[in-house]
Amino acid sequence: MCRFFDVSRSEYYGYVQRIDIVQKIKECQDKYDRTYGYHRVHIWLERQGIHRNPKTILCTMQKYTLLSSVRRKKYRNYGNALHKYPNLLNRDFTSTKPN
């Protein structure tokens, strides 16, 4: 088959290995609702017994569009919450004369 498609054996087995990793990454992303980035996917894969460079996992995730969706942080309007203590001392910083 490799001769028919003019592909070397190493290319074929490399492709098979990449497809296995892609399937594992898809499994991880489906399990955790696409909230894991490549760092956490890397840790998850290592716990599964698959050891790869994290940047390789990042490139694979980018190539097959498996990156996590970015969640925005909530906007917090503090308003008067920063000044919640009353001015009990009524400090007056105006000067009556120089020095």
Side-chain angles (χ1 to χ4, degrees):
M1 224 163 108
C2 289
R3 272 184 263 147
F4 178 76
F5 288 112
D6 195 29
V7 176
S8 68
R9 286 184 194 173
S10 62
E11 286 181 63
Y12 170 73
Y13 286 113
Y15 172 77
V16 169
Q17 197 172 31
R18 277 191 305 275
I19 292 301
D20 289 342
I21 292 173
V22 169
Q23 289 173 350
K24 283 290 193 179
I25 293 173
K26 281 183 183 178
E27 178 185 332
C28 177
Q29 293 291 44
D30 290 341
K31 186 174 181 180
Y32 296 106
D33 298 325
R34 293 181 70 96
T35 57
Y36 275 16
Y38 78 96
H39 285 292
R40 284 169 51 172
V41 170
H42 173 253
I43 293 168
W44 186 84
L45 286 173
E46 281 191 336
R47 289 182 181 162
Q48 301 293 320
I50 300 170
H51 301 283
R52 295 287 180 274
N53 189 328
K55 299 297 181 177
T56 304
I57 293 170
L58 173 64
C59 291
T60 305
M61 289 175 73
Q62 286 173 341
K63 183 176 180 180
Y64 293 98
T65 62
L66 295 171
L67 292 173
S68 63
S69 55
V70 177
R71 294 174 287 173
R72 297 227 174 225
K73 292 187 178 182
K74 285 185 178 180
Y75 171 73
R76 294 186 180 139
N77 185 6
Y78 289 105
N80 292 329
L82 295 176
H83 308 287
K84 61 184 174 183
Y85 300 109
N87 186 5
L88 297 176
L89 299 177
N90 288 330
R91 297 186 296 179
D92 184 21
F93 292 107
T94 57
S95 63
T96 57
K97 59 182 183 177
N99 296 328

